[in-house]
Amino acid sequence: MFAYSTCVTVTPTLPDDIRSTDQTASSDRSRAATVVGGSLLLIVGIVLAALNLRPAVTSLAAVLAEVRDSLGVSAVWVSAVTAVPTVCFGFAGLVAPTLARRFGALRVVGFALALLGLGLALRVLDGPAVLLGGTLAACSSIAVANVLIPVVVKESFPGRLGFVMGVYSAALSAGGAAAAAFTAPLERWVGGWRLAVGLWAGLAVIAVIVWAVARRRAQPLEQAALAHDAEEQAAQATAPAAAATPDVIAPATIARPTDSPAVAATSATVQAATDQAAPAPAAAAPAAASTTAAAGRTTSLFRNPLAWAVTGFFGIQSLVAYTWMGWLPEILRDVAGVDPTTAGVMLGALMVIGVPAALIIPPLVTRRRAQSGWAVAMTATSLLGVLGLLLLPTLSPVLWVVLLGVGMGGLFPLALTFITLRSRTVADTAELSAMAQSLGYLIAAIGPFGVGMLHGWTGGWTASLLLVLLAMTIQLLIGYLAGRPRYV
């Protein structure tokens, strides 16, 4: 009896606030355990998704001459089909944030991967119109994934942002390299370009399956986080202190002056869903005005010079990258006397060279407050490769391709990292990602189309390479501005 009484009477009655804190901590530990359990599979899904975001372009480029001869199309059509990816990336990327808010980023990326596989399979079944339509569908899907995968990364891995973005960028390069290097040999082995290009749809099927499983595991956590954040928002909205002290901001949204950009960017994602969905105060501007009062931004990104610098940098590096992905084999065959198979392999090498750069550069640049030096150095490296192709193309084509690959491999992950480093919250990241990638890819369309048209008009590649040289000079200046330690 005594023992029983002791057991009953020593049980403490905790105050409500302490019980609430303990329950919250327990809930947070449960959510953290779910994150750890599902994070590895989600990283695998991100890698597989990234592997699919370049073969639609590089596989066609590797056999572009054969496609042109087989379909009997004009130089204008060829220029247009090389520009289709960037145009799609620009326009389709505009709808990505709306779709993510309606259905969730994870679900939308899964649907995009499924449509990508369908477009890749269908585009090789008939003539020029079907090829163009399938490319449009595939590249529109890629555009949506391009915008939303960085958002998924920032929401899911705020403490490992540099590492995961590096893996993602490396997988992008690896997928493009594989398609560029193996499509031309496949064309010879299977007896035609249609099957060689269409086989890349199989990689998309694998990505869809893995992504679906990863999303299913992450969905309960996502729903629990949204419910938890909704309760917090309701409590904050009813607290009288919120109205009396408008200058008090949640610590998770404050970037200390001594923090590096990486720390400031990742600290803002401690409560990712809260940042993304928090309601504005009654006196604040409507959500449509694209304001983020907690982070100090009260104007649209379209009025923000830094946002335009990030957009311009992303756009020009994409212009150059998709020019090489669309035309480098043709350029090497004409100006350097390289055979078709070797030209495709060299395009693959260009992409492979970017893999170690994509793995190394994001973790390094996120440790520094400014990234201007990186932008200038990578751009200058690529400039040397362009000058080599322009002035001494036959001297050492391999060297010129290596220089182009080192520069391009570093510039793309740097451009992606700018999107996360120059924004404080997940909401800002989503907006800046949509702006930079949508408008940036529209800028990038000038490259493949302009290079193709100049080649058609002049019959040579000098004017085309001069256009690329001019674009990269502008990129060097904009990269310096985008790399300074500021926030949109």
Side-chain angles (χ1 to χ4, degrees):
M1 181 69 177
F2 178 79
Y4 175 79
S5 300
T6 303
C7 290
V8 173
T9 57
V10 298
T11 302
T13 302
L14 297 177
D16 290 342
D17 57 344
I18 297 178
R19 265 204 314 270
S20 175
T21 302
D22 184 65
Q23 291 170 356
T24 301
S26 177
S27 174
D28 290 342
R29 286 193 297 270
S30 177
R31 290 166 60 191
T34 307
V35 170
V36 172
S39 61
L40 179 59
L41 184 61
L42 185 56
I43 290 177
V44 173
I46 289 170
V47 169
L48 286 172
L51 288 172
N52 281 276
L53 301 186
R54 293 297 177 267
V57 180
T58 57
S59 63
L60 195 62
V63 291
L64 190 58
E66 288 74 16
V67 172
R68 181 181 58 214
D69 295 341
S70 172
L71 299 179
V73 292
S74 65
V76 175
W77 187 92
V78 175
S79 299
V81 80
T82 59
V84 159
T86 52
V87 173
C88 288
F89 294 171
F91 284 114
L94 291 172
V95 305
T98 301
L99 293 173
R101 284 192 295 269
R102 177 67 184 268
F103 303 105
L106 287 168
R107 179 179 295 179
V108 174
V109 172
F111 282 131
L113 291 172
L115 182 58
L116 168 61
L118 184 63
L120 291 176
L122 292 179
R123 70 174 180 170
V124 299
L125 298 181
D126 206 344
V130 173
L131 177 59
L132 189 61
T135 303
L136 280 168
C139 292
S140 296
S141 305
I142 293 171
V144 173
N146 276 338
V147 172
L148 294 184
I149 289 178
V151 177
V152 171
V153 171
K154 186 159 187 172
E155 284 182 332
S156 305
F157 307 100
R160 293 181 287 173
L161 187 62
F163 168 74
V164 179
M165 287 303 294
V167 171
Y168 168 65
S169 301
L172 281 169
S173 299
F182 295 121
T183 301
L186 278 173
E187 189 268 340
R188 189 171 62 253
W189 296 336
V190 301
W193 64 269
R194 294 182 186 274
L195 185 57
V197 172
L199 282 173
W200 295 101
L203 185 61
V205 173
I206 298 173
V208 169
I209 295 171
V210 175
W211 191 271
V213 177
R215 185 186 72 82
R216 185 175 301 176
R217 291 192 178 186
Q219 193 171 21
L221 173 64
E222 187 177 38
Q223 293 173 346
L226 289 174
H228 175 75
D229 293 333
E231 292 176 1
E232 287 188 348
Q233 293 165 20
Q236 292 171 0
T238 58
T245 58
D247 292 335
V248 178
I249 300 174
T253 64
I254 299 175
R256 297 187 301 273
T258 56
D259 282 346
S260 69
V263 174
T266 54
S267 66
T269 64
V270 174
Q271 296 173 336
T274 302
D275 289 335
Q276 192 167 15
S290 300
T291 60
T292 308
R297 180 168 65 82
T298 58
T299 60
S300 167
L301 286 182
F302 289 96
R303 298 181 181 180
N304 189 297
L306 178 57
W308 280 108
V310 173
T311 299
F313 184 79
F314 188 95
I316 297 177
Q317 68 83 27
S318 297
L319 181 155
V320 175
Y322 280 91
T323 296
W324 299 141
M325 282 189 269
W327 290 107
L328 185 62
E330 290 277 312
I331 294 173
L332 291 172
R333 290 164 71 167
D334 291 346
V335 305
V338 177
D339 65 87
T341 300
T342 303
V345 171
M346 291 179 75
L347 176 59
L350 176 81
M351 308 295 292
V352 168
I353 291 169
V355 173
L359 287 171
I360 294 170
I361 287 177
L364 291 178
V365 300
T366 53
R367 295 175 185 174
R368 302 185 63 86
R369 298 190 68 249
Q371 295 79 34
S372 298
W374 286 95
V376 171
M378 294 295 98
T379 304
T381 302
S382 287
L383 277 170
L384 292 176
V386 178
L387 288 172
L389 286 175
L390 185 63
L391 302 177
L392 299 167
T394 60
L395 178 63
S396 181
V398 173
L399 175 60
W400 311 142
V401 170
V402 168
L403 291 172
L404 293 175
V406 170
M408 192 176 84
L411 287 168
F412 178 67
L414 183 60
L416 287 179
T417 307
F418 277 163
I419 294 174
T420 57
L421 292 182
R422 299 285 87 88
S423 56
R424 292 183 187 273
T425 68
V426 171
D428 280 352
T429 303
E431 289 186 44
L432 185 58
S433 180
M435 177 180 175
Q437 298 202 50
S438 298
L439 297 182
Y441 280 125
L442 291 178
I443 295 170
I446 299 171
F449 187 78
V451 164
M453 293 303 296
L454 286 173
H455 173 61
W457 291 336
T458 64
W461 292 103
T462 300
S464 299
L465 291 174
L466 286 174
L467 175 63
V468 176
L469 195 67
L470 174 63
M472 296 187 70
T473 303
I474 299 172
Q475 175 186 288
L476 188 147
L477 300 176
I478 295 177
Y480 176 83
L481 297 176
R484 293 188 293 176
R486 297 172 296 162
Y487 296 100
V488 296

